[in-house]
Amino acid sequence: MMIQALVFDVFGTLVDWRSGLAREAARLLAPYAPALDAGAFADAWRGCYGLSLEPVRSGARAYVDLDTIQAESLPDVLVQFGIVGVPEDVRRELVQAWHRLDAWPEVPEGMRRLRERHLLAPNSNGHVRLMVDLARRNGLIFDAILGGGYSRDFKPKPALYRDAVAAFGFAPAETLMVAAHSNDLAAAASHGLSTAHIARPHEHGPAGGETAPSVPVTYAARNLMDLADQLGC
């Protein structure tokens, strides 16, 4: 089948979360932690992510958006780094750092090319306002905002993949899940979606990132420009 729509993981696939969080943490926490290892801080905060989402994914908690999740995990990260005295307004600004992340360099042009022939939407754990802010910051144009805020759940729950297919009305195989994370693609494939892996070897800074998929995929690309080439865009 021809690919008709692309739905994207965002954090790590389209935007460089580590550099952006480190930049904002260094700026906002300088008065309280002048010697902060901002990269390690970003890693630690991101490291809370999976565990923080689990109560919603398990059904033990009603859906709350990603800003709420990040705000709840932030105090433990501050304690981990021995940072005290951070006022509430600065903590709120730190949570907003997730809205001020920069795209990987090729993403705006890659998305422009892909949109010439396909419908595009995020399929991220992020909620609508978060996706809109990242899109506006980086000049990305989506045809819809799907994902956590739309499905009221978090990946890899089935609703996010099934809703992404239903939203555009194409067959599952005509809908391409694009991600830098093999586990996300495996979950999408289990619901019949086509899959594209994007290599992001620097996603985690010194810790690296996925250079190739560890699961079978429909496409494996070096970046979005390479994916656009493979799709004939």
Side-chain angles (χ1 to χ4, degrees):
M1 288 187 180
M2 290 286 293
I3 299 299
Q4 304 290 345
L6 282 70
V7 294
F8 297 85
D9 173 68
V10 173
F11 298 108
T13 302
L14 298 185
V15 301
D16 177 3
W17 59 263
R18 188 179 193 272
S19 296
L21 291 181
R23 178 193 66 231
E24 294 293 285
R27 178 178 70 86
L28 292 165
L29 295 175
Y32 316 98
L36 177 67
D37 183 338
F41 185 91
D43 291 336
W45 200 3
R46 173 73 173 189
C48 298
Y49 192 78
L51 188 61
S52 298
L53 301 182
E54 192 53 37
V56 175
R57 289 192 292 219
S58 70
R61 182 184 191 183
Y63 172 80
V64 293
D65 67 31
L66 208 55
D67 282 356
T68 301
I69 296 289
Q70 308 294 16
E72 290 174 351
S73 63
L74 178 58
D76 287 342
V77 182
L78 293 172
V79 169
Q80 180 181 336
F81 283 80
I83 305 171
V84 298
V86 180
E88 188 59 35
D89 63 328
V90 175
R91 295 184 185 212
R92 285 195 296 269
E93 273 301 294
L94 275 167
V95 171
Q96 290 299 302
W98 292 86
H99 295 241
R100 297 192 291 267
L101 305 175
D102 295 329
W104 296 106
E106 93 290 350
V107 164
E109 177 61 14
M111 296 285 282
R112 185 197 65 77
R113 287 177 57 190
L114 291 165
R115 192 167 182 266
E116 290 179 356
R117 297 183 60 179
H118 305 92
L119 298 178
L120 307 183
N123 191 25
S124 165
N125 285 328
H127 49 289
V128 172
R129 177 59 186 274
L130 178 50
M131 295 297 100
V132 168
D133 286 347
L134 291 174
R136 290 176 67 89
R137 177 179 179 85
N138 293 290
L140 310 180
I141 299 176
F142 291 120
D143 298 294
I145 304 292
L146 307 175
Y150 181 83
S151 298
R152 310 289 289 180
D153 210 337
F154 295 120
K155 294 187 289 186
K157 292 294 288 298
L160 278 84
Y161 306 104
R162 293 173 181 169
D163 289 350
V165 171
F168 285 135
F170 300 118
E174 294 176 306
T175 306
L176 184 67
M177 180 73 210
V178 183
H181 312 118
S182 295
N183 59 345
D184 196 356
L185 297 175
S190 73
H191 298 288
L193 282 75
S194 297
T195 55
H197 183 271
I198 305 299
R200 293 297 182 202
H202 305 297
E203 179 184 357
H204 297 274
E210 291 190 20
T211 58
S214 61
V215 299
V217 296
T218 316
Y219 301 93
R222 296 185 305 277
N223 54 39
L224 284 198
M225 297 292 276
D226 183 25
L227 180 61
D229 287 343
Q230 293 188 47
L231 291 175
C233 300

